[in-house]
Amino acid sequence: METTQRRALATEAVHAGRDDLAALGLHAVPLDLSTTYPSRDSRDEARRIDAFAATGARLEGPPIYARVDNPTTARFETALARLEGTQDAVAFASGMAALSACLLARSALGLRHVVAVRPLYGSSDHLLSSGLLGTEVTWTDPAGIADAIRPDTGLVVVETPANPTLAEIDLRAVAHDCGSVPLLADNTFATPVLQRPAESGARIVLHSATKYLGGHGDVLGGAVACDEEFAGVLRQVRFATGAVLHPLAGYLLLRGLATLPVRMRAASATAAELAARLAADPRVSAVHYPRIGGAMVSFEVHGDPHAVIAGVRLITPAVSLGSVDTLIQHPASISHRVVPAGARADGGVSEQLLRMSVGLEDPADIWADLDTALASA
């Protein structure tokens, strides 16, 4: 029997989702902006809609309506699944829409309880804690996950490296403790370049695609990489809620994946160098940089962190991360402001903490700007 050789990640990043282009006589990925698609066979349309309602599986044949599926977005989903090593992936309008769909999918089965580990991205923390989607959360450390699981637990949610402290979790150990409860791992910071959570037992891999997958600060999106069965449920939730990814965003995200390995490795090398310089700087009290590497560095200063934000000129003082330019922000004021102060402190998000997303500039230029800003603090 003929077997298909597994291609390297860098090769998949360039070719996944594009394998059929040559046969179509195309080189660049086509962008399909249609919201609806004509068909004169309404009986067949009814049959296919019934099939989607039953399983949520991607439709065979031409599309019907953009809220059900879109060819450009489907290419991005195919490519991400290949990079993450999962059977399927489903794209959403944002990372928070993707997380919301996961919670709703499990809540529909009566599994409204969530076990989660802090820190998480601030809006993820807020969504779980607020109960806006009817969920109840138990916060615990990784060692307490098994004891926190109840009969109505639908998900265990972790983020590693975590936002914004870059704390790391042993995904394989956590997945073991989850038992039959699906482990959802937010892989936004690491991306599949640095880790593939599904290989360690995570059944759901979440991405804020806005960040490294897009990589240029010009597209908003989210995605979930998972098995085919859960992907079907997520597509049904996406259809019902309308949290669809715009085709132009899907096009930009697929284009972003092509350079993801190159961008991540270049930015990670610079981040490691900056982390070392910060660790040796007497103006800095602590540096957080994950063992896995990556382009994120968090550090705590002895002086005024707000003065550092105000003092940068090359570095962009802005929320978000994963762009080609370096960004810095004060989590307690922005990304994690919606998390109660006590919970922020419990998760290691101190008032002195700054989070930096390292871009593709020359390391010497980034350091010169950061050095000046630290002096002003």
Side-chain angles (χ1 to χ4, degrees):
M1 184 176 66
E2 183 180 353
T3 59
T4 302
Q5 183 178 1
R6 181 172 173 177
R7 302 187 295 197
L9 182 79
T11 304
E12 290 286 21
V14 173
H15 290 279
R18 305 167 179 85
D19 301 89
D20 63 332
L21 292 183
L24 295 173
L26 299 173
H27 182 244
V29 172
L31 171 57
D32 188 331
L33 292 171
S34 296
T35 57
T36 191
Y37 300 84
S39 172
R40 299 189 186 281
D41 190 345
S42 55
R43 290 186 179 88
D44 184 61
E45 297 283 86
R47 178 191 62 80
R48 295 200 296 147
I49 289 173
D50 286 347
F52 178 79
T55 67
R58 187 172 289 159
L59 295 175
E60 296 179 4
I64 294 177
Y65 184 57
R67 188 154 48 86
V68 180
D69 205 3
N70 171 271
T72 305
T73 299
R75 289 181 181 275
F76 164 65
E77 293 171 335
T78 297
L80 180 61
R82 292 271 282 276
L83 293 180
E84 283 289 5
T86 59
Q87 292 177 336
D88 210 340
V90 183
F92 292 88
S94 69
M96 291 309 301
L99 176 59
S100 297
C102 292
L103 295 172
L104 290 171
R106 299 300 285 167
S107 293
L109 301 175
L111 303 172
R112 294 182 173 85
H113 179 243
V114 177
V115 175
V117 176
R118 280 188 172 122
L120 291 176
Y121 169 52
S123 292
S124 300
D125 188 308
H126 174 66
L127 180 64
L128 293 174
S129 298
S130 66
L132 283 170
L133 296 182
T135 56
E136 176 190 351
V137 63
T138 296
W139 296 101
T140 184
D141 57 35
I145 287 175
D147 291 335
I149 290 175
R150 306 186 325 206
D152 63 338
T153 302
L155 286 174
V156 174
V157 178
V158 301
E159 182 178 9
T160 181
N163 186 352
T165 65
L166 304 178
E168 293 176 273
I169 290 175
D170 184 340
L171 285 174
R172 195 171 299 278
V174 168
H176 177 269
D177 290 343
C178 288
S180 62
V181 178
L183 171 62
L184 184 155
D186 188 328
N187 202 32
T188 298
F189 276 19
T191 80
V193 176
L194 299 180
Q195 72 180 4
R196 302 169 108 188
E199 294 179 349
S200 296
R203 290 163 57 185
I204 303 168
V205 182
L206 179 73
H207 281 277
S208 172
T210 306
K211 313 310 194 289
Y212 289 108
L213 302 190
H216 293 75
D218 56 6
V219 58
L220 197 69
V224 177
C226 55
D227 61 31
E228 290 178 350
E229 181 180 2
F230 193 62
V233 178
L234 290 178
R235 286 193 185 93
Q236 292 174 326
V237 172
R238 183 179 65 182
F239 173 74
T241 61
V244 295
L245 183 71
H246 191 276
L248 178 57
Y251 174 88
L252 291 172
L253 290 173
L254 182 60
R255 188 174 69 170
L257 289 184
T259 59
L260 176 64
V262 176
R263 288 186 285 105
M264 280 299 295
R265 287 166 183 148
S268 296
T270 299
E273 180 179 335
L274 294 173
R277 289 197 180 200
L278 287 165
D281 195 304
R283 297 166 295 187
V284 176
S285 60
V287 176
H288 309 283
Y289 187 68
R291 292 187 300 274
I292 200 174
M296 299 298 299
V297 180
S298 291
F299 58 98
E300 299 174 54
V301 295
H302 288 296
D304 181 5
H306 302 284
V308 177
I309 297 293
V312 295
R313 293 296 177 267
L314 176 70
I315 299 169
T316 303
V319 74
S320 198
L321 57 107
S323 186
V324 290
D325 61 321
T326 300
L327 310 176
I328 193 168
Q329 65 111 3
H330 183 243
S333 295
I334 306 180
S335 65
H336 288 69
R337 192 65 182 176
V338 292
V339 180
R344 285 201 304 266
D346 290 343
V349 185
S350 75
E351 292 294 325
Q352 301 304 116
L353 183 72
L354 294 167
R355 190 196 72 188
M356 184 166 63
S357 169
V358 177
L360 300 180
E361 303 96 337
D362 188 281
D365 291 327
I366 300 174
W367 176 252
D369 190 42
L370 194 55
D371 180 45
T372 301
L374 285 168
S376 68

